[in-house]
Amino acid sequence: MGDTLDTIELVLPFKAEYVSVARLVTSGLCNRMGFDVETIEDVKVAISEVCSKLVSIGSNVSQCYKIVYSVSEDVLKVTYLCEDSSLKCIFNNGDDGLAIHIINALMDEVELCTSNDYILSMSKVVEGND
Amino acid sequence: MSDGLSFTKEKSDEYVKVSLVGEVDIYTSQDFKNMLYEVVDCEKMNLIIDCKQLNYIDSTGLGIFVGALKKVKQYDKKIVLTNLKDNIKKLFVITGLDKVFVIE
């Protein structure tokens, strides 16, 4: 995985109407990195699934959550952060089975539960960039 | 900001056809659920859902489809999904729902 060249941060309220904004930003960023159209759709879906889950559970501490896009030569790494440290392992295997399955299938690396200071992270490699 | 979601409903002797336009996500899912369940419960007919102009759906939307299918089966009817875009069909395949729904 290459060194991070740029970092883009998106801060969104815990509101459903802004999840589409995350998809728009993701789409533009992936397009700029050279992902093909199908992969852009995949990354959009995965990122949107996490946003939807965060919005549905909300936060007692913070008004907003942050999506950090770490862009390197051939990899997009996406990390979710929030002031509310209780937001860990936000997905459960029962109710969120479809979402977990979709995220794992569409992204290359997924860290759904973490002991780090972020909520979760996932990454996608740009194919064909040798 | 968001495409939102709208729909049209056509009724024949044998089925009800619902055409979806826009996006089904956490923002639009409650309206979508209300509309779909109302159609199922009121019409009690075979349901065709035309997804030609459906641009996006997430797991919330897929869950609503599954819920509607359970309801339809109570009336011994079926749901047929038509004109799915590739990105949406892919989600049905990933989740195995392509084997649960009739997709044309």
Side-chain angles (χ1 to χ4, degrees):
Chain A
M1 197 178 287
D3 295 333
T4 299
L5 300 174
D6 291 306
T7 302
I8 295 101
E9 297 186 354
L10 178 64
V11 180
L12 293 173
F14 285 94
K15 291 182 178 177
E17 56 264 47
Y18 293 106
V19 172
S20 64
V21 175
R23 290 200 294 276
L24 278 174
V25 170
T26 302
S27 182
L29 194 52
C30 287
N31 184 51
R32 182 161 185 79
M33 287 182 68
F35 285 102
D36 59 57
V37 174
E38 183 180 347
T39 309
I40 291 173
E41 287 298 322
D42 293 348
V43 178
K44 270 171 59 181
V45 170
I47 284 174
S48 188
E49 289 289 348
V50 178
C51 294
S52 297
K53 183 62 187 179
L54 282 169
V55 166
S56 70
I57 58 180
S59 167
N60 293 324
V61 175
S62 172
Q63 299 286 317
C64 302
Y65 61 98
K66 185 191 288 184
I67 309 172
V68 179
Y69 300 88
S70 302
V71 178
S72 67
E73 192 83 18
D74 58 352
V75 180
L76 172 66
K77 183 177 181 185
V78 184
T79 309
Y80 289 77
L81 298 106
C82 179
E83 288 173 22
D84 190 344
S85 59
S86 68
L87 290 180
K88 295 282 182 188
C89 293
I90 56 174
F91 290 99
N92 70 69
N93 284 318
D95 295 342
D96 303 320
L98 280 179
I100 293 171
H101 199 68
I102 288 169
I103 292 168
N104 280 321
L106 297 181
M107 299 299 280
D108 292 327
E109 283 186 25
V110 180
E111 192 182 11
L112 287 178
C113 287
T114 169
S115 56
N116 296 305
D117 57 357
Y118 49 84
I119 302 168
L120 63 82
S121 76
M122 50 196 180
S123 59
K124 191 75 178 177
V125 177
V126 182
E127 297 293 333
N129 272 13
D130 297 324
Chain B
M1 184 161 44
S2 170
D3 274 6
L5 180 72
S6 60
F7 65 93
T8 56
K9 191 175 86 172
E10 297 170 51
K11 193 173 171 182
S12 76
D13 292 340
E14 295 177 2
Y15 61 82
V16 178
K17 179 179 172 183
V18 174
S19 301
L20 303 175
V21 180
E23 300 182 334
V24 178
D25 68 358
I26 189 170
Y27 184 54
T28 58
S29 60
Q30 194 58 52
D31 286 344
F32 176 55
K33 184 178 181 178
N34 293 343
M35 176 278 293
L36 197 58
Y37 285 16
E38 186 180 318
V39 170
V40 170
D41 285 331
C42 292
E43 306 293 351
K44 299 181 178 62
M45 297 176 77
N46 291 323
L47 185 61
I48 296 175
I49 302 177
D50 186 353
C51 301
K52 188 177 183 180
Q53 295 183 79
L54 180 65
N55 299 318
Y56 179 86
I57 193 166
D58 64 6
S59 62
T60 317
L62 295 178
I64 292 167
F65 275 137
V66 171
L69 184 62
K70 286 180 183 171
K71 281 178 161 288
V72 163
K73 284 185 173 177
Q74 289 175 355
Y75 303 120
D76 203 23
K77 302 296 178 184
K78 62 181 180 179
I79 292 180
V80 178
L81 303 175
T82 62
N83 299 316
L84 268 68
K85 293 185 176 177
D86 288 346
N87 59 314
I88 291 172
K89 190 179 286 183
K90 183 174 184 174
L91 293 181
F92 278 84
V93 172
I94 285 172
T95 55
L97 292 176
D98 60 321
K99 296 178 179 66
V100 176
F101 286 91
V102 178
I103 298 175
E104 293 180 348

